[in-house]
Every structure is written in structure tokens, then in C-alpha cells.
Amino acid sequence: MPTTPATATHTSSNGTAESNGTVEAILLELVDENGVTIGTAEKLSAHQPPGQLHRAFSVFLFDEQGRLLLQQRALGKYHSPGVWSNTCCGHPYPGEAPFAAAARRTYEELGVSPSLLAEAGTVRYNHPDPASGLVEQEFNHLFVGMVQAPLRPDPEEVATTAYVTPAELAERHAKDTFSSWFMTVLDAARPAVRELTGPSAGW
């Protein structure tokens, strides 16, 4: 297996990577309003108010019944711990293709490789997180796909998971806390979600 930044280091929930016993900062790709790379910034500093616009990705995976896989973020994460969110989200390493980053991070967090992973557009948003005081200024690449294997979540990243229908999501969203970006990315991905899951799934 080729050595990549993902396999060479272990990324912790506080935004640093450990390699050979040393702690290295995680760098994000800064972009302009058109998604063109303009530089890099350390992960935590990019999320400090007012936030620096950076590249991100969000993944939405579905089972054979058209149910969306949600994850509850682990309580130890420095950003939005314990909240529910889409299947997987994160940031490409500088120079890493968003598609590759989405597949890599899905496997790292959930222990499963997505099937039929496809691009679903982009969305740009600015979402402050009142609980942490951090800001999500993101140019987000969206992906949809299927999950066709048993999950093996990393407990340092994922507290628990759930498959939901649109009705179950609405019920859960009304009573549980979700990430500040969740509805923005889901709404932006809906056309691709409907194409993937078909009309009967109700998305």
C-alpha cells in the first residue's frame, strides 16, 4: 500500500498529527471565493474567528434502502464534539484531490470504503459554532455514494452511527443537536442524492 499522509501519520481529534513520536500541525488549503488555492494555514488557526476560507469535503452515504448514514461525532473532538452530522466530513491535505480525501477519510473514520462515490457539486458557507467559538468558512466539495459493507467506526472519531429515512432525520433533527453545517451541505447535495437514491427514497 502506498504511503500517504494518511497512512504515515495518525491524526488526533485535536487537529494535530503524530509521526514517529513528534506532533506535527495539520495544514489546510486556503482558497479564494472561486475555490482556487491561494495558500495554506494550520487547521485550528483557520477556524479561529473570523475564520479563513479553506477547502473541505462532505460525504453522504446511503444503504440499499436509501437511508442516509449519519454519524455522531466523538466527544473528544475539539470542534463540534458529540453532535450529529453527515456520514463524513473533513479537509483535504494541501494538494490532495477532494475525491481522494473523501474516500480516505471515510475509511479512516468508519472503516468502510464508499461505493459509487460521485461528485455532487460545491457549496460555500460561513457558519460560526456558538459552542466552541470556532468558525466554519468553507468551500465544500460534496460527494454522494453507497455503503455496502459493515461499519467499523474509529471510537476516537465517531461516537455512534445511525441510518435514517427522511422522516426519521426530521424527527431526529428536531430533538438532537446537529453540526452547524449539516443542513447547508445536505440541501446543496439533494439533487445528487435524489439521483442516487431514486424517488421512492423521498430525499
Side-chain angles (χ1 to χ4, degrees):
M1 180 177 180
T3 300
T4 66
T7 56
T9 63
H10 175 263
T11 304
S12 70
S13 56
N14 65 3
T16 60
E18 297 172 12
S19 178
N20 301 324
T22 61
V23 177
E24 303 170 6
I26 297 294
L27 295 179
L28 307 185
E29 206 168 77
L30 300 181
V31 300
D32 65 16
E33 293 292 339
N34 297 312
V36 176
T37 303
I38 58 173
T40 60
E42 189 276 324
K43 183 176 180 180
L44 187 56
S45 68
H47 291 86
Q48 300 286 355
Q52 295 172 277
L53 184 59
H54 57 275
R55 196 178 308 283
F57 63 83
S58 288
V59 179
F60 297 85
L61 297 184
F62 297 82
D63 67 6
E64 299 287 356
Q65 289 76 49
R67 299 180 301 171
L68 171 61
L69 174 60
L70 299 177
Q71 70 153 276
Q72 184 183 28
R73 293 163 63 86
L75 294 175
K77 295 182 78 73
Y78 79 95
H79 190 348
S80 304
V83 304
W84 286 91
S85 199
N86 48 293
T87 308
C88 180
C89 53
H91 311 93
Y93 292 116
E96 183 183 23
F99 184 95
R104 168 183 62 80
R105 195 66 186 141
T106 299
Y107 185 81
E108 289 174 354
E109 291 191 5
L110 294 163
V112 65
S113 294
S115 304
L116 306 176
L117 192 65
E119 296 182 6
T122 61
V123 61
R124 190 261 194 257
Y125 51 78
N126 174 6
H127 283 308
D129 178 39
S132 67
L134 301 175
V135 178
E136 287 289 6
Q137 286 267 19
E138 294 191 330
F139 188 94
N140 198 309
H141 298 254
L142 308 172
F143 299 92
V144 300
M146 305 286 291
V147 59
Q148 296 175 310
L151 302 177
R152 293 181 289 110
D154 178 352
E156 290 191 8
E157 299 290 345
V158 180
T160 189
T161 59
Y163 286 98
V164 295
T165 65
E168 290 166 343
L169 174 60
E171 182 180 336
R172 186 181 291 268
H173 194 264
K175 64 183 179 65
D176 292 333
T177 303
F178 276 70
S179 63
S180 60
W181 62 87
F182 174 75
M183 287 307 302
T184 299
V185 292
L186 175 58
D187 287 343
R190 279 187 195 274
V193 168
R194 293 182 183 123
E195 186 175 343
L196 175 72
T197 60
S200 61
W203 293 103

